Amino acid sequence: MPDVQNTETPGTDEFRRAMGLFTTGVGIVAVDAEPNGFAAMTINSFVSVSLDPMLVCWSLHNDSSQFDLYANARRFAVSILAAEQGDLALRYATRGGMHRFGEDFERSAGELPIVAGSLAHFECRNWSITPAGDHTLILGEVEGLSRAHADAANASPLTFFQGEFCSIAPQ
């Protein structure tokens, strides 16, 4: 194995390219907003934090056009996308905008907006928010969850690698 030594502090572009080699899952976080609507955004920063209590975390860019809406939401839902839902990931990756319920979303048992046909979803109560550089970490306590996809055990998740959507097949 070659001996790799860095003599310079890495720049943000180099950091971004190196982090792009870490494959992540893709989800959509959604919160209720305005009467009968909701806000939703694509994320790839979702991670499990604790089993007792059950906590998850995602990160929100501080310059988000809807920062206050997400940071101040008392509850939110995260839907884990299936490989065939790349079009939804792109649709909800655009900045801003409120949405109405239709074919993309439905209400969960806990009355939160979730992606129809997603692999799973987590219904969360805002546990805490923590500033972290140019992002804010939002921790949620899981109050409900469901493996919503009809055949989740054999489904492929949507993933993100080197700046592109891709998928992995279950073994």
Side-chain angles (χ1 to χ4, degrees), residues 148-161:
H149 194 278
D151 190 20
N154 296 314
S156 295
L158 183 64
T159 60
F160 194 69
F161 178 73

Side-chain angles (χ1 to χ4, degrees), residues 136-149:
T136 295
L137 302 178
I138 299 179
L139 271 77
E141 182 176 16
V142 177
E143 297 180 319
L145 60 89
S146 176
R147 289 174 43 149
H149 194 278

Side-chain angles (χ1 to χ4, degrees), residues 70-100:
Y70 287 98
N72 296 320
R74 293 180 53 216
R75 298 176 70 222
F76 61 89
V78 177
S79 299
I80 306 301
L81 299 183
E84 63 271 9
Q85 293 178 310
D87 59 327
L88 293 179
L90 288 173
R91 184 175 308 141
Y92 294 99
T94 59
R95 293 177 66 88
M98 296 295 161
H99 308 284
R100 300 281 177 224

Side-chain angles (χ1 to χ4, degrees), residues 1-18:
M1 177 181 263
D3 184 30
V4 179
Q5 295 180 344
N6 261 346
T7 56
E8 297 180 28
T9 303
T12 56
D13 288 342
E14 184 179 350
F15 178 71
R16 182 185 300 263
R17 282 191 302 275

Side-chain angles (χ1 to χ4, degrees), residues 15 32 64 100 103 123 129 133 152 158 171:
F15 178 71
D32 278 321
S64 169
R100 300 281 177 224
E103 64 184 58
E123 300 170 64
I129 62 171
L158 183 64
Q171 297 271 328

Side-chain angles (χ1 to χ4, degrees), residues 10-35:
T12 56
D13 288 342
E14 184 179 350
F15 178 71
R16 182 185 300 263
R17 282 191 302 275
M19 288 304 300
L21 297 172
F22 183 70
T23 304
T24 61
V26 180
I28 292 180
V29 64
V31 297
D32 278 321
E34 41 174 69

